[in-house]
Structures are given as structure tokens and as C-alpha cells.
């Protein structure tokens, strides 16, 4: 299937769900009504569970657990809350994908998001943008799997396939990054997130957004290294220094440590899926 066909399909790349559109519309007002936002979120039980799981995965609460969306807004601010609600809604858009273990896919995506957030924090870059970019970096692969379930370059697991982008480009002329960026744009995510998703497989291709894209690249590498159970010497040997140097990330030990984050467990991933 051609990229243009995928991007033109409202079935493969759906519009925002009505409730989510209402929530985001409320955020766009000069004075958003927090009570109305809370009411709209609470009307969707699955969305509420995913939002609270993300809020606590992102560890915005300063050590404590965040129990309600209303309680999160003063801690995160409207902008970050808006992004996380949108990201949580994406989880609901992909409940079942042929041949994909959705809990495993979101476990990996949450790990990438957490690592990206940690790296961004160390570089004093917007943690919310990094977390959301990491969480959504692979959604294009889900779209492609729905569109082309038997395509050879989509048969291995996304969570452990370090050569997926190159194989997809060679086979199809585009990759999950292109599709994921189009999805993020259609769902009105900030342009910085769209650009990071699109360019993270080759962050140096886009100088304007290469720092955020580079962070997602490094976070994805860190998660893949964990999937492969690499030991410390192997981590340092395979460390992607070219990308790290290009964005000014100098804390190699952070990314190569055994536990740079609290790895996502089955229950956490299952809640989100």
C-alpha cells in the first residue's frame, strides 16, 4: 500500500473521538473549565484509567500518586495535561491490531517515554513533549499493521526490531515514522511532537527538531538494549555516540545504567492497553 493511500484513509488514521475533541476544545478556551474537563474525562472510564496510568508513569507528582485528573492539572499545568489526555486517547484508538500483543507494545512505548523524559530532564528540555513523543513514536507501525497485516517488514515484533525503519523504507519507500507523524498531526499534537516522531529514526535529517528527535532515538535504543538484555560492557560498546554528541547529550552512564528508569511491568502496560 502506498503512503498516500494510508494517509488518505479515515479508517486507518481516524479523526479525534468526539469526547476527546470536546475535551481539547475546552483546553483551547481562554479560561478552560476544569470541572467540565473532569466531567468529560470521567464519562469515559477507559480513558480515565489510561490518563491516570500515564500521569503516574510520567512521575509528575513529585513522589506521590495522582488520583484524579482534576488534581493533576495544578501539578502539571494545562499544557502538559492536554498532551497527556491526547496521548491516553491514542491507546483507546488501537484496542486490537492483528498479530500484535498490545500490552507488550505499550509496555515498550511506555519505557521509551520514560527514558525520553529522563533524558530531557537532564538536558533541561520540555519533559512533557519528550514523554509524549516517546509514547507515540511507534503508533505508525500499528496503522501499517492494520493496513498490511501480511507485509514481510511488519512480521517481527516492533518492540525488539532495531532495523525496522530501514527495512520498511527499503520495502515500501516509507516507514512507521512517516505514518506516525501523520497520525499525530491529524490528532492536533504539537508540531514539535509531530517532527520528533517523523525524524527520530534519523534525527540529523531535521536540524530544527533534532534535539527532541535525538532524545526519542536514544530512548528507543535504551529500551531495545533492555529488551536484548545487554550487559554493561555491551551497552557502552554499542552506545549511539553519534546521535548523543549531535544533540549535546553527555550523560552516557545514565542511558547505559542497568535501570535508567522504573521499567514498565505487565500490570501498568495492561492498564494502558
Amino acid at each position: 500500500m502506498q503512503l498516500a493511500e494510508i494517509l488518505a484513509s479515515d479508517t486507518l488514521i481516524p479523526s479525534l473521538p468526539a469526547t476527546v475533541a470536546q475535551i481539547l476544545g475546552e483546553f483551547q478556551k481562554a479560561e478552560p473549565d476544569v470541572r467540565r474537563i473532569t466531567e468529560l474525562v470521567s464519562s469515559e472510564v477507559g480513558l480515565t484509567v489510561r490518563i491516570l496510568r500515564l500521569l503516574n508513569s510520567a512521575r509528575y507528582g513529585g513522589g506521590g500518586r495522582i488520583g484524579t485528573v482534576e488534581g493533576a492539572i495544578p501539578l502539571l499545568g494545562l499544557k502538559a495535561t492536554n498532551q497527556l489526555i491526547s496521548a491516553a486517547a491514542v491507546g483507546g484508538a488501537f484496542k486490537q491490531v492483528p498479530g500484535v500483543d498490545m500490552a507488550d507494545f505499550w509496555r515498550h512505548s511506555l519505557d521509551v517515554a520514560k527514558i525520553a523524559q529522563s533524558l530531557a530532564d537532564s538536558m533541561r528540555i520540555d519533559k512533557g513533549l519528550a514523554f509524549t513523543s516517546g509514547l507515540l513514536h511507534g503508533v505508525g507501525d500499528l496503522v501499517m499493521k492494520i493496513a498490511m497485516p501480511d507485509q514481510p517488514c511488519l512480521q517481527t515484533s516492533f518492540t525488539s526490531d532495531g532495523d525496522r525503519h530501514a527495512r520498511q523504507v527499503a520495502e515500501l519507500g516509507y516507514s512507521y515514522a512517516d505514518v506516525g507523524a501523520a497520525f499525530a498531526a491529524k490528532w492536533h499534537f504539537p508540531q514539535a511532537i509531530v517532527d520528533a516522531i517523523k525524524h527520530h529514526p534519523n534525527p540529523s535529517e531535521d536540524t530544527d527538531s533534532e534535539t527532541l528527535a535525538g532524545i526519542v532515538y536514544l530512548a528507543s535504543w535504551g529500551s531495545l538494549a533492555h529488551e536484548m538484555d545487554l550487559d554493561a560492557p555491551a551497552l557502552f560498546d554499542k552506545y549511539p555516540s553519534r546521535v548523543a554528541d549531535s544533540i549535546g547529550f553527555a550523560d552516557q552512564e545514565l542511558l547505559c545504567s542497568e535501570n535508567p528508569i522504573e521499567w514498565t511491568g505487565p500490570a501498568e502496560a495492561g492498564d494502558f492497553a
Side-chain angles (χ1 to χ4, degrees), residues 108-117 134-135 137 216 219-220 223:
H108 168 74
S109 299
L110 283 163
D111 282 344
V112 174
K114 292 176 185 178
I115 297 173
Q117 183 189 47
L135 181 71
H137 81 287
V216 176
S220 181
S223 180

Side-chain angles (χ1 to χ4, degrees), residues 3-166:
L3 178 60
E5 295 178 78
I6 293 178
L7 302 188
S9 172
D10 289 334
T11 302
L12 294 173
I13 303 183
S15 300
L16 279 167
T19 300
V20 178
Q22 287 182 277
I23 294 170
L24 300 187
E26 191 64 45
F27 274 109
Q28 298 304 315
K29 294 180 179 178
E31 295 186 8
D33 186 337
V34 174
R35 181 173 297 179
R36 175 60 177 159
I37 292 170
T38 303
E39 288 174 353
L40 287 168
V41 171
S42 299
S43 69
E44 299 283 345
V45 176
L47 179 62
T48 301
V49 170
R50 285 189 295 274
I51 290 169
L52 292 177
R53 175 57 74 184
L54 278 186
L55 288 169
N56 289 295
S57 292
R59 291 177 293 181
Y60 284 114
R65 301 288 292 179
I66 301 174
T68 66
V69 175
E70 186 174 15
I73 292 176
L75 293 172
L76 275 68
L78 291 170
K79 178 182 174 182
T81 305
N82 186 357
Q83 288 177 16
L84 284 183
I85 289 175
S86 299
V90 173
F94 297 100
K95 293 181 180 178
Q96 290 185 335
V97 176
V100 178
D101 181 335
M102 295 307 298
D104 188 56
F105 176 87
W106 289 118
R107 176 194 56 75
H108 168 74
S109 299
L110 283 163
D111 282 344
V112 174
K114 292 176 185 178
I115 297 173
Q117 183 189 47
S118 178
L119 302 185
D121 188 34
S122 72
M123 296 178 68
R124 298 184 179 180
I125 293 171
D126 190 313
K127 296 186 298 181
L129 288 176
F131 183 89
T132 306
S133 298
L135 181 71
L136 303 182
H137 81 287
V139 295
D141 204 75
L142 298 178
V143 174
M144 293 171 69
K145 187 71 172 175
I146 293 171
M148 303 171 288
D150 299 322
Q151 191 71 31
C153 62
L154 295 168
Q155 297 313 303
T156 56
S157 172
F158 180 80
T159 64
S160 58
D161 187 356
D163 297 319
R164 202 171 192 84
H165 168 74

